Amino acid sequence: MLRDLVRKVAAKNAGPFQVTVDVFCGSAEAYAHVTTSLSTIAVSDLFGIEPQLLTRFDISDLHVIKFSMPRTVVQGSRFDRDMHGAQFGVLLEELVI
């Protein structure tokens, strides 16, 4: 699972309409492995969104991979079941790569 290869996976709001998920690899070696093994298509499939709606940022200096995506419902609306977007981090941690 991804959580066994990295230091931390964290998800948070990026405003009421976006969520970001950060994968903190912790080392250059882990970063190199994860950037080549973790496909953007697999992440979009996991989150159930179209690949073109998922933006990926590979930040090599920090050994971080960041994903940003639109929320399916507006934060704080009556249909929002995760106001902070934390569920996305847990899902990604459990992805087998």
Side-chain angles (χ1 to χ4, degrees):
M1 286 190 214
L2 181 62
R3 73 170 164 239
D4 298 325
L5 303 172
V6 301
R7 180 173 289 169
K8 183 177 183 176
V9 177
K12 61 186 179 292
N13 286 325
F17 306 108
Q18 295 278 326
V19 172
T20 63
V21 183
D22 299 324
V23 180
F24 298 94
C25 296
S27 70
E29 296 78 21
Y31 176 79
H33 176 69
V34 173
T35 54
T36 58
S37 302
L38 182 61
S39 79
T40 304
I41 298 295
V43 175
S44 69
D45 287 347
L46 176 69
F47 294 146
I49 63 169
E50 296 296 321
Q52 65 269 19
L53 296 177
L54 183 67
T55 305
R56 177 179 173 152
F57 304 93
D58 292 346
I59 309 167
S60 60
D61 291 347
L62 301 175
H63 310 306
V64 172
I65 303 165
K66 177 185 284 284
F67 295 97
S68 294
M69 69 199 103
R71 293 176 61 94
T72 56
V73 297
V74 176
Q75 178 194 17
S77 72
R78 68 183 188 152
F79 299 109
D80 185 8
R81 298 191 58 179
D82 182 9
M83 283 193 52
H84 303 288
Q87 66 185 342
F88 293 97
V90 174
L91 287 172
L92 190 56
E93 278 183 338
E94 295 179 353
L95 184 66
V96 176
I97 61 169

